[in-house]
Amino acid sequence: MEAHEIAEKIHEDHEHHHGHGGRAQEWLRRVTGVYVGVIAMLLAIATLGGAEATKAMLNANIHASDTYAFYQAKYLRQTMLELSATELELLGGGTALSPDGVAKVAEVTKRYHDTAKRYESDPSANNGKKELLAKAKEWEEIRDHAEAQIPNFEYGEAMYQIAIVLGSVAIVASSPWILGFSGVLAVLGTLLTINGYVLLVPFGTH
């Protein structure tokens, strides 16, 4: 074999080697580009979940506070009626009132007692103290549930953001190792996001 033939053979082998490497790098870049796009979509889902959980927590907290305020108002009004009824009963037991006056006092006293009893529990209107307290507890449960969801979404968003940055670096560096580490973070972000929606594992609760 002549010298120039040997040189041509070496050149062909060199081009063949670099051709395969270039195609591998191009494939890695394309796959990573699609991967980064998918992670960006998952990031949007996690962000939406976090926003909805925050809104639910704030809304439930407002409703719970309002319901407790209504409960306190009912309690104060009930106490006033009971005190007034007691005073009227003492007045009706005196001798200074006429029979008509005693009957009138008894009627008003009964009305006060009935109203105070209705303030304690009123299933028909669903706004007695007992019902209001149950409503407030329900709103607190909703608030606590949403509050437990939020950290999952927040940490999930952080994992996705870091994964996207590493994915972008992997495209430039053509590094499967960086892409692999990015994938691990993306999986963690996905698990956190799923747990944020279904809350199978309590996380960030008091």
Side-chain angles (χ1 to χ4, degrees), residues 43-57 146 149-154 157 193 196-197:
L43 172 60
I45 294 174
T47 302
L48 177 63
E52 289 296 322
T54 301
K55 183 168 65 177
M57 183 192 70
Q149 288 179 298
I150 293 174
N152 290 276
F153 291 120
E154 290 179 339
E157 288 177 41
T193 300
Y197 279 105

Side-chain angles (χ1 to χ4, degrees), residues 31-165:
V31 170
T32 306
V34 174
Y35 159 79
V36 169
V38 172
I39 298 305
M41 179 189 68
L42 294 175
L43 172 60
I45 294 174
T47 302
L48 177 63
E52 289 296 322
T54 301
K55 183 168 65 177
M57 183 192 70
L58 294 175
N59 182 61
N61 191 53
I62 291 172
H63 278 85
S65 298
D66 289 346
T67 305
Y68 274 122
F70 195 15
Y71 174 90
Q72 290 295 331
K74 285 273 185 178
Y75 174 79
L76 293 175
R77 181 60 179 165
Q78 181 188 37
T79 302
M80 291 176 60
L81 287 171
E82 289 174 344
L83 290 175
S84 298
T86 301
E87 290 178 358
L88 287 174
E89 286 173 347
L90 293 174
L91 179 62
T95 57
L97 295 177
S98 64
D100 290 341
V102 172
K104 184 66 175 177
V105 168
E107 179 186 349
V108 175
T109 301
K110 182 179 182 304
R111 187 166 68 247
Y112 282 179
H113 279 305
D114 290 343
T115 304
K117 184 178 179 181
R118 193 165 61 249
Y119 280 177
E120 182 65 29
S121 180
D122 189 4
S124 60
N126 200 32
N127 64 356
K129 282 171 52 185
K130 181 179 178 181
E131 291 76 24
L132 289 173
L133 189 60
K135 283 183 185 178
K137 298 286 186 185
E138 290 176 2
W139 284 116
E140 283 184 331
E141 289 177 1
I142 295 173
R143 179 199 63 194
D144 293 343
H145 183 270
E147 187 177 10
Q149 288 179 298
I150 293 174
N152 290 276
F153 291 120
E154 290 179 339
Y155 285 112
E157 288 177 41
M159 294 295 104
Y160 285 140
Q161 289 170 351
I162 297 173
I164 289 174
V165 172

